[in-house]
Amino acid sequence: MEKIKIRRAKKEDFEKLAELMQGFWDKIDTHRKEYKSGFLKELKDNKTARFLLFDNKELIGNITMVKYWTTWCNGYQMVLEEIVVAPKHRKKGYGLKLLDYAIEYAKKNAKEIWLGTGTRSKAQTLYKKRMKKANAVVYELKFHDKR
């Protein structure tokens, strides 16, 4: 029988999280020290909320949000930065459990929640179950990684 638990990330979760995020975090193996440093910093700030989903103590999912104040809604917004479910656990409703958890957290801590996603992302099916498509265009400017 599965025992699902979602909780806030802790510093001792880094190694399991790094394993889960293999393939999502760029160059995790060569920049592990920097990723760990950033992870520990985000645990201390009051802007980042990272939640982990466990099934019988196995880490199978992660969702991360960043909170900031904006004049756009005259209050705090939460931005979904990452939502990842381990490949062998996909299509079982875990992504929706993480998204629902994030939405409830955002309701208590912000005026709205939003995310940006690729136009071909299969995850759009998940997002459409709880969120509506915004009338927005996203632009980006990537800087060369000088590490």
Side-chain angles (χ1 to χ4, degrees):
M1 183 176 173
E2 67 182 33
K3 185 179 178 191
I4 303 301
K5 180 179 181 180
I6 300 175
R7 66 160 172 80
R8 196 129 193 189
K10 302 175 186 176
K11 64 181 176 180
E12 56 268 18
D13 294 321
F14 178 76
E15 292 304 323
K16 286 182 180 180
L17 181 62
E19 186 178 321
L20 173 72
M21 299 303 289
Q22 193 79 19
F24 295 97
W25 285 350
D26 189 37
K27 302 175 186 174
I28 182 71
D29 292 328
T30 55
H31 297 293
R32 191 175 212 84
K33 186 177 178 180
E34 291 94 333
Y35 276 107
K36 187 168 187 177
S37 174
F39 172 75
L40 295 174
K41 285 178 186 174
E42 85 178 18
L43 292 179
K44 292 179 183 177
D45 75 29
N46 64 351
K47 297 175 190 162
T48 307
R50 181 182 297 273
F51 298 101
L52 306 177
L53 185 143
F54 293 86
D55 181 355
N56 293 320
K57 297 185 181 181
E58 178 186 2
L59 176 59
I60 62 170
N62 165 66
I63 192 162
T64 308
M65 299 176 293
V66 177
K67 178 173 93 172
Y68 67 96
W69 193 91
T70 175
T71 56
W72 183 258
C73 68
N74 195 27
Y76 286 101
Q77 283 185 330
M78 299 292 290
V79 179
L80 281 172
E81 291 288 324
E82 295 174 332
I83 181 166
V84 174
V85 174
K88 71 179 187 178
H89 294 284
R90 292 182 186 158
K91 304 284 185 194
K92 297 179 182 178
Y94 294 125
L96 194 58
K97 286 182 187 302
L98 282 166
L99 185 57
D100 285 343
Y101 195 90
I103 289 169
E104 288 307 309
Y105 179 84
K107 283 180 184 177
K108 297 173 187 169
N109 292 281
K111 286 190 170 184
E112 62 185 28
I113 185 171
W114 67 273
L115 65 93
T117 186
T119 56
R120 295 187 194 173
S121 173
K122 292 178 182 177
Q124 285 190 39
T125 304
L126 169 69
Y127 307 141
K128 289 176 182 177
K129 290 180 181 179
R130 297 292 188 263
M131 303 171 86
K132 66 177 185 167
K133 188 174 179 181
N135 188 16
V137 176
V138 177
Y139 294 89
E140 71 178 353
L141 176 60
K142 293 186 178 184
F143 298 100
H144 180 29
D145 185 349
K146 298 183 182 190
R147 293 190 265 186

